Structures are given as C-alpha cells and as structure tokens.
Amino acid sequence: MSEDPFGDLDAAMGSGESASEPEPEPEPATEDAGTDDAAESEDESASESVESADPRELPAFEFDETVHKALYVLEAVADEFDDIITYDVERELTRDHGLKGVTKSELHNAALGVATEHPEEIVERVLEQRGVEDESSE
C-alpha cells in the first residue's frame, strides 16, 4: 500500500493524470502566411464580439481557465453549500440581476474568493468545530 492516503484519488476520479500537472502546450501550427492573416482576422472579430457582448450574457471566464481541486468537507456542509449556491445565489443572480448562463465554476470561484478575503472567519470556524475557545479575543 502506498504511503500517500490520497494517491488513488486521480484513478477513482477517472483521470490518469494528476490534477496539478499542467497540460502539455500545443504544437505551433506551421501554415502559410495567408492562413495566418485569416486566423488573425477571425480572432479580432471574435474578441470584438466578446468585448461588445453584454456581461450579463457570458460567464466571467472560460471553463478551460479553471483547475480542478478536490475539497474535503462533511457531506452536510457540502449539501448546504450546494443548496445555497443553487437556490439562493444563482437564483438571485438570474432573477434580480438578469445574468444568464451562470456557471458552477463562477459560483465556486466567487465563494472561494470570499473565503480568501476573510481568513479570520475560517480560523474562528475551525476553532469552533474543535470546541476550542479563541484565546486571542479574551
């Protein structure tokens, strides 16, 4: 048995590669200059349409910009998180703010962003979970 207790997670998740390993860079295309000009023109058109698109219509970022990270939480907390994200946050974004196509990656990114802005609350929650009083507030 391996000493890494999580060593078989990648296989169990259906991936033969580690989620932390970067994907190999694609080989540069070696096409003639005429094709490059056409591709640049298409890229400019696509970027202009994305820039002029209503931000309520498109996700904040593309899925391929994300990484998959495993989080280990109690099932009840994960269920509550999913419910709040889906039924409260996503509904408010769509109903009250007119967003369309809100993605789970946007919601998860925002939730983790909020957590990173409030590390003191994470400390308080871990102490609370362990039943330890916060000695610094006394």
Side-chain angles (χ1 to χ4, degrees):
M1 181 171 172
S2 169
E3 295 202 22
D4 181 5
F6 305 110
D8 59 345
L9 282 178
D10 287 331
M13 294 174 70
S15 170
E17 299 178 15
S18 170
S20 62
E21 291 179 17
E23 300 237 351
E25 296 275 332
E27 295 288 325
T30 55
E31 298 178 19
D32 63 42
T35 307
D36 289 342
D37 291 340
E40 284 180 27
S41 174
E42 287 177 18
D43 288 345
E44 288 173 10
S45 303
S47 68
E48 287 174 12
S49 66
V50 169
E51 290 172 7
S52 65
D54 185 346
R56 288 179 177 84
E57 302 284 330
L58 298 172
F61 49 85
E62 296 295 325
F63 181 77
D64 61 355
E65 295 178 58
T66 65
V67 296
H68 179 262
K69 298 281 186 177
L71 297 174
Y72 299 97
V73 299
L74 296 173
E75 187 172 0
V77 174
D79 291 345
E80 183 178 6
F81 176 81
D82 288 340
D83 287 349
I84 287 170
I85 287 291
T86 302
Y87 300 118
D88 296 338
V89 176
E90 187 173 359
R91 184 177 356 164
E92 182 175 336
L93 289 170
T94 56
R95 185 185 58 211
D96 298 346
H97 299 282
L99 269 58
K100 296 183 183 345
V102 178
T103 64
K104 293 294 183 196
S105 57
E106 285 181 288
L107 297 169
H108 293 166
N109 194 69
L112 288 175
V114 170
T116 61
E117 292 170 2
H118 301 281
E120 68 285 353
E121 292 186 36
I122 298 170
V123 169
E124 289 174 19
R125 182 62 57 98
V126 171
L127 291 171
E128 178 184 300
Q129 288 174 161
R130 288 189 171 208
V132 175
E133 292 204 25
D134 186 0
E135 296 170 6
S136 68
S137 65
E138 293 178 1

